Amino acid sequence: MDKRVPITLAVIAIIAVSAGVYYTTQQQEEKNDKLVVVASFYPLAYMAEQIGGDKVEITALIEPGVEVHSWQPSAGDIINCSDADVIIYNGVGLDTWLQDEIIPSIDTTGKVIVDTTQTVTLFESTEEEEIEEHGVYDPHTWLSPYEAKQQAEAIYDALVEADPDNTDYYTTRWETLSDKLTALDESYTTQLQGKTKTTIFVTHDAFGYIARRYGFEQEGIIGISADEQPSTQTLTDIIDLMQQTDTYTFYIEPGYSDIYVQTVKTELETRTGKTVQILTLYHLNGPQGDLDYIEQMENNLESLRLGLGS
Ligand SMILES: [Zn+2]
């Protein structure tokens, strides 16, 4: 990594902290007594909003729908973190810019800082390049209801720690969210039980936690970090595997390029004479039209059910 980056950020941080003090006095009246919460990205902000309701003021640093894997923080992100009572991040190498660059450059006195995957049982990426570039573990915990519930619980604990006076309020709302995620986990289990296919084929390897929990495999074109170019060999392997497993569904994610998917579709259709259907699996990194995080999880289940033949 470029050694100048931390120094630059430190300088920005000094400016930001001074600016932050100014903003705080300016905005104090508007904020009332709300707990100021900053989350790295949408799924965590969504959970904090569900639990925190009108007792919290939430900012997601990464704009909804923007690619999370290659995000670079700005001075504005440092100001937001300086002003926050609670800072929430995913961990597992996804938002290292928050963990390694922003947090060490701000005054964290009195702040509650939460790594939401601390209690999640992580699993390792099997691809060597990804191990070198992004650390060993798969960061996509928020896509699976079971792991997401553990992340939500970490957020609930943080809100209670930062604002114990409103414990009852947070507890009631946490129980509602927890029930929804438990119900979703049960629906995934039940509805995918009768599946006739063993593997899903996806643009980007984001569904490892879902695959592991509900008993199938994922094969991706561009891996876990979503910023790679697939080799011709990778594409050929995927087409071979789809043919061998008699699978004619490919999943795309909004926001990720589908040019390679079109190559796979055309080649497989030419080879086999079958029609390849393209379905959507959301990465859940922003609302999609009217669909919030939970509703997108429901849609993902429906797409999985169709593609896995259950
Ligand atoms: Zn991803």
Side-chain angles (χ1 to χ4, degrees), residues 69 140 142 204 206 224 256 283:
H69 294 278
H140 296 96
W142 71 92
H204 151 51
I224 281 179
Y256 292 85
H283 198 261

Side-chain angles (χ1 to χ4, degrees), residues 151-167:
Q151 294 187 268
E153 184 162 21
I155 293 170
Y156 161 65
D157 289 342
L159 297 187
V160 168
E161 186 186 337
D163 181 21
D165 290 352
N166 286 312
T167 298

Side-chain angles (χ1 to χ4, degrees), residues 70-84:
S70 51
W71 176 258
Q72 298 289 331
S74 68
D77 296 331
I78 299 174
I79 293 173
N80 279 319
C81 288
S82 289
D83 281 352

Side-chain angles (χ1 to χ4, degrees), residues 67-72 93-94 96-97 125 127-135 139-140 202-206 220-231 253 255-257 259-260 283:
E67 157 59 36
V68 293
H69 294 278
S70 51
W71 176 258
Q72 298 289 331
L94 186 82
T96 45
W97 45 271
S125 167
E127 296 187 30
E128 234 172 85
E129 276 173 48
E130 290 173 346
I131 292 170
E132 282 168 26
E133 285 178 36
H134 302 278
H140 296 96
V202 296
T203 43
H204 151 51
D205 280 338
I221 291 181
I222 52 171
I224 281 179
S225 63
D227 57 4
E228 294 150 37
Q229 302 281 322
S231 64
E253 297 164 57
Y256 292 85
S257 167
I259 52 166
Y260 306 110
H283 198 261

